[in-house]
Amino acid sequence: MNSIFTGSFSQVEETISESFMKDTINTIKKFKLYKLILVILFFSGSSYAVYGVSFFFTNNIDDLTVPFDKNNEFIFVFSSIWYIHIQVFIFFIAGLAAFIYKERNHAKGYFLFNIFLSLGWLLFLLFTFKLTQLMVNSYILRMLYSVLFLSGFVFVFFQSYQNAKKMVYGTKKKRSALVEWLSKNRKNVLSILFGFGALYYLTKVISPEVDNLETRIIGSLIEFAPLAVCLIFFTFIYLNSKLIRSYYLYKYSEEFRKKFGITKKDWYGEKYRG
């Protein structure tokens, strides 16, 4: 059976579009020190914040306005602070790899950045799923969400593998027009989604139907939070596809450089030594 990592240049040539190539080069080329600091602050802050909320819930379970199940089997899952330390360290390595290779090898930097960012995102989602399960009082509903999450996990990585096989050895070479458009406009799309999300939670918080702020926030999350994480996990189909493409762009870096007609300085960086 052919490995998804052993495709030849001729087999994967069409999988790398010009827009993907430009996005790769520019992402690493423009990864300045302030971006490294922002990446570290954002992901470390988010990781420790989620852990802090989980720690607060599990240690104040009797005092919360919205009652939680004291026998929740997820209370002790990923409870060690070292889980978060490892997660934050992986995000740090992702940013550091991009920063180190911004003038040495853009394609390699982008590949390493995607590897560690995807791994950190996986650990973050696993912990976030644990946190959202703490908010579900029904044992049956928690088990249903767990089955959905595990099923989604298996499906996502199976589908990612199948997509990679088609991309390397089959007929599914180019990204769809929708994916290309989303890739070019991801910042605008994310800003719009964030705006809608913020507006939604704002309406929940200021709703006059509930008087207690804590009840408003938790009540707005409790019903569908684990399901939301299950749906977010499907982002790995896209992330895994991007990871495979970045792998081959790095593996056949010189071949793609010549194909797109980019100078070595612009393609690799000023400190590239070959």
Side-chain angles (χ1 to χ4, degrees):
M1 182 175 64
N2 291 326
S3 169
I4 59 174
F5 300 106
T6 58
S8 64
F9 174 71
S10 61
Q11 288 175 313
V12 301
E13 182 178 1
E14 294 183 21
T15 67
I16 308 299
S17 65
E18 186 174 359
S19 64
F20 181 84
M21 177 273 296
K22 289 182 178 179
D23 183 60
T24 297
I25 301 302
N26 291 331
T27 296
I28 304 302
K29 189 176 182 179
K30 298 178 181 179
F31 203 91
K32 307 298 183 182
L33 180 60
Y34 79 90
K35 289 189 176 181
L36 173 62
I37 296 174
L38 288 177
V39 166
I40 295 172
L41 291 178
F42 176 77
F43 286 111
S44 62
S46 300
S47 300
Y48 285 117
V50 171
Y51 179 81
V53 173
S54 174
F55 184 83
F56 175 79
F57 282 171
T58 56
N59 287 275
N60 297 275
I61 201 165
D62 294 325
D63 302 323
L64 296 172
T65 303
V66 177
F68 286 166
D69 184 3
K70 298 178 182 179
N71 299 315
N72 193 311
E73 58 281 350
F74 283 89
I75 289 177
F76 300 104
V77 175
F78 305 139
S79 59
S80 173
I81 187 63
W82 281 103
Y83 181 92
I84 303 301
H85 290 336
I86 293 172
Q87 179 179 298
V88 169
F89 180 71
I90 290 173
F91 282 130
F92 170 74
I93 293 299
L96 188 62
F99 181 74
I100 289 175
Y101 286 100
K102 70 183 182 69
E103 293 182 352
R104 289 176 170 83
N105 192 324
H106 297 145
K108 184 176 182 179
Y110 192 74
F111 174 55
L112 293 175
F113 178 74
N114 275 295
I115 287 179
F116 289 106
L117 191 65
S118 297
L119 181 56
W121 180 238
L122 173 61
L123 296 181
F124 182 83
L125 284 184
L126 288 175
F127 191 88
T128 303
F129 182 73
K130 168 257 174 73
L131 172 62
T132 57
Q133 285 285 59
L134 293 178
M135 304 176 186
V136 181
N137 283 314
S138 170
Y139 172 80
I140 295 177
L141 190 57
R142 289 198 301 268
M143 292 302 101
L144 176 60
Y145 281 138
S146 297
V147 171
L148 287 175
F149 186 81
L150 290 174
S151 299
F153 185 96
V154 173
F155 172 79
V156 163
F157 285 96
F158 174 78
Q159 190 61 46
S160 296
Y161 176 74
Q162 294 300 318
N163 289 344
K165 283 180 61 179
K166 291 179 181 178
M167 184 177 69
V168 178
Y169 300 107
T171 57
K172 187 179 179 180
K173 298 293 185 180
K174 297 182 179 180
R175 298 190 295 180
S176 66
L178 176 61
V179 173
E180 285 286 350
W181 182 85
L182 288 173
S183 179
K184 293 178 181 178
N185 300 276
R186 66 183 184 279
K187 292 183 179 179
N188 294 331
V189 173
L190 289 174
S191 298
I192 292 173
L193 291 177
F194 180 81
F196 276 116
L199 181 62
Y200 172 77
Y201 282 109
L202 178 62
T203 59
K204 285 288 185 179
V205 170
I206 66 176
S207 173
E209 298 177 359
V210 185
D211 294 329
N212 185 275
L213 178 61
E214 184 181 0
T215 303
R216 293 173 189 168
I217 297 175
I218 298 176
S220 68
L221 288 170
I222 199 169
E223 296 179 355
F224 63 90
L227 180 60
V229 179
C230 292
L231 295 175
I232 292 173
F233 197 82
F234 280 83
T235 58
F236 272 97
I237 293 180
Y238 168 72
L239 292 176
N240 291 337
S241 174
K242 188 166 71 168
L243 184 59
I244 291 295
R245 283 183 165 86
S246 64
Y247 165 76
Y248 277 110
L249 185 64
Y250 165 55
K251 182 177 181 179
Y252 297 113
S253 186
E254 188 63 14
E255 288 86 343
F256 280 114
R257 182 190 71 81
K258 293 177 180 178
K259 174 186 176 180
F260 292 115
I262 310 296
T263 64
K264 285 191 174 183
K265 179 180 177 181
D266 290 332
W267 184 267
Y268 294 106
E270 294 183 355
K271 296 182 179 180
Y272 177 69
R273 292 293 179 267

